Amino acid sequence: QQQVKQSPQSLIVQKGGISIINCAYENTAFDYFPWYQQFPGKGPALLIAIRPDVSEKKEGRFTISFNKSAKQFSLHIMDSQPGDSATYFCAATDSWGKLQFGAGTQVVVTP
Amino acid sequence: GAVVSQHPSWVICKSGTSVKIECRSLDFQATTMFWYRQFPKQSLMLMATSNEGSKATYEQGVEKDKFLINHASLTLSTLTVTSAHPEDSSFYICSAGTSGGSSIYYDEQFFGPGTRLTVL
């Protein structure tokens, strides 16, 4: 079963809007939470990542919010652009370095 | 940044044949490489973890005799799909991890561009 639950499955946002994707996990052994962006026919690329000792991390238009007590984390894409249209995966890594991926969110940014 | 390549990028083969996919870390030494499989519109599913010079560790439900993995050097891992069948058609992606000391704990994985396998 999926150890990292991701929602929504898809979302449509207008150019300039905010895209928000949420993830939740149960395994408290997870200690590294990356987000990946994947375009059709390509491998996933690391977008931004956070450790559990930090509640928020921002890199450009991308922000991760992390709630350790709730075991939830989210990705915010500010000022969404058509080039951001892609599938986004949250993930979590255990102490063995294995990545557990969420189901993915297909984001479409309309002009 | 760390670059991982895969070859070929796509391959079409007949049912019953074997196909080899190469994964190379171009500018760093990867002590651990991971192989994933991705079906259309789905997430990545880990197939196996390989460490240089040792046998791969397969995830539950993955047939190790069908998906042969070799990690012969710190920059090359190969996945061979033996006696391929149409249900093996998928997008295969590798990733490579760098080592921090004696463990890959806290280290990132760098993904290759993927290989599209179609079995007729």
Side-chain angles (χ1 to χ4, degrees):
Chain A
Q1 71 277 14
Q2 209 110 40
Q3 293 194 38
V4 180
K5 291 181 168 40
Q6 182 173 349
S7 64
Q9 188 174 9
S10 64
L11 71 93
I12 300 173
V13 61
Q14 283 191 330
K15 179 181 175 182
I18 302 173
S19 304
I20 302 174
I21 306 170
N22 300 300
C23 286
Y25 64 98
E26 287 297 325
N27 188 347
T28 55
F30 289 148
D31 56 11
Y32 177 64
F33 301 88
W35 285 88
Y36 292 89
Q37 178 189 57
Q38 186 180 32
F39 293 103
K42 305 294 184 184
L46 178 67
L47 198 59
I48 187 172
I50 199 167
R51 309 275 183 203
D53 54 344
V54 177
S55 62
E56 185 175 282
K57 184 174 181 179
K58 183 176 181 179
E59 288 184 1
R61 296 184 293 110
F62 302 93
T63 300
I64 300 179
S65 297
F66 186 84
N67 186 329
K68 188 175 180 178
S69 60
K71 291 184 281 188
Q72 296 175 348
F73 58 111
S74 61
L75 176 70
H76 290 60
I77 306 174
M78 314 298 285
D79 187 25
S80 296
Q81 299 296 312
D84 296 333
S85 297
T87 300
Y88 293 81
F89 293 95
C90 62
T93 304
D94 59 24
S95 57
W96 297 100
K98 290 186 182 180
L99 277 170
Q100 301 289 341
F101 282 89
T105 297
Q106 185 174 14
V107 173
V108 175
V109 181
T110 60
Chain B
V3 180
V4 176
S5 70
Q6 279 185 242
H7 178 79
S9 55
W10 58 270
V11 57
I12 301 173
C13 69
K14 292 183 179 180
S15 185
T17 61
S18 294
V19 174
K20 180 185 283 188
I21 302 170
E22 291 186 351
C23 176
R24 292 182 185 272
S25 56
L26 299 184
D27 52 2
F28 67 101
Q29 293 187 328
T31 51
T32 304
M33 287 185 171
F34 302 86
W35 286 95
Y36 297 85
R37 183 173 182 176
Q38 186 179 34
F39 292 108
K41 304 287 187 184
Q42 293 189 23
S43 188
L44 286 79
M45 296 301 295
L46 179 65
M47 299 175 65
T49 303
S50 74
N51 292 291
E52 185 262 339
S54 60
K55 288 185 178 181
T57 302
Y58 291 81
E59 295 299 300
Q60 192 172 8
V62 177
E63 299 175 60
K64 59 182 178 182
D65 294 331
K66 181 166 189 62
F67 299 100
L68 301 179
I69 292 172
N70 183 275
H71 193 160
S73 75
L74 287 173
T75 60
L76 173 64
S77 177
T78 60
L79 167 68
T80 301
V81 183
T82 62
S83 186
H85 291 284
E87 57 266 29
D88 299 323
S89 298
S90 188
F91 193 50
Y92 291 88
I93 309 170
C94 72
S95 71
T98 58
S99 177
S102 60
S103 165
I104 62 169
Y105 191 66
Y106 281 132
D107 286 327
E108 295 179 14
Q109 289 185 30
F110 302 96
F111 283 84
T115 296
R116 173 75 57 195
L117 170 63
T118 301
V119 185
L120 303 176

